[in-house]
């Protein structure tokens, strides 16, 4: 059975993509803690990060760090934090959250975001990734996982 993330990556369900490479994608979440909150997701379905190949984990964290740097630039925040929990979807994903305080990273009780605001944040983050020299990994279409 495919996870919702696998369906988004395959284009069966819409998503806002800010990154795509052979091993992973990064998409906005529909329940953002802050503008620019994205998830780095491996293309390979792995439920728990402790079960993933160490090389994949290294790649995911490298991508998360790259996106975090772009998020700090794009949204003028003090930091970009990460959360790896995996309770909501059984498919490994790393939340990258632009934040000024620990409170900005609280995912408990976060409400559904406005579609246009989420898309605008994705476009802003994509522009920061391009400006940072990572344009090769920013999909040509914000709605597709293909480069």
């Amino acid at each position: 059975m495919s996870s919702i993330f696998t369906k988004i990556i395959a284009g069966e369900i819409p998503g806002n993509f800010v990154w795509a490479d052979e091993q992973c994608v990064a998409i906005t979440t529909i329940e953002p803690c802050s503008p620019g909150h994205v998830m780095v997701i491996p293309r390979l379905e792995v439920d728990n990060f402790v079960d993933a190949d160490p090389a994949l984990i290294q790649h995911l964290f490298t991508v998360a760090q790259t996106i975090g740097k772009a998020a700090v630039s794009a949204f003028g925040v003090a930091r970009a934090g990460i959360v790896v929990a995996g309770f909501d979807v059984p498919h490994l994903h790393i939340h990258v959250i632009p934040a000024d305080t620990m409170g900005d990273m609280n995912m408990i009780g976060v409400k559904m975001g406005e579609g246009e605001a989420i898309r605008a944040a994705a476009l802003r983050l994509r522009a920061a990734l391009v400006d940072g020299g990572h344009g090769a990994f920013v999909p040509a279409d914000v709605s597709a996982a293909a480069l």
Side-chain angles (χ1 to χ4, degrees), residues 62-137:
T62 298
V63 171
Q65 182 181 42
T66 299
I67 291 171
K69 288 176 183 178
V72 168
S73 172
F75 299 100
V77 293
R79 297 180 181 267
I82 60 169
V83 174
V84 181
F87 291 105
D88 47 351
V89 177
H91 188 147
L92 169 62
H93 55 289
I94 300 171
H95 292 266
V96 179
I97 305 168
D100 283 314
T101 70
M102 283 297 292
D104 293 339
M105 296 185 55
N106 184 0
M107 292 192 290
I108 305 298
V110 175
K111 305 284 189 234
M112 182 84 71
E114 296 289 328
E116 282 306 311
I118 292 171
R119 185 174 177 86
L123 294 173
R124 196 165 161 187
L125 185 53
R126 287 164 55 92
L129 285 164
V130 170
D131 289 347
H134 302 286
F137 300 107

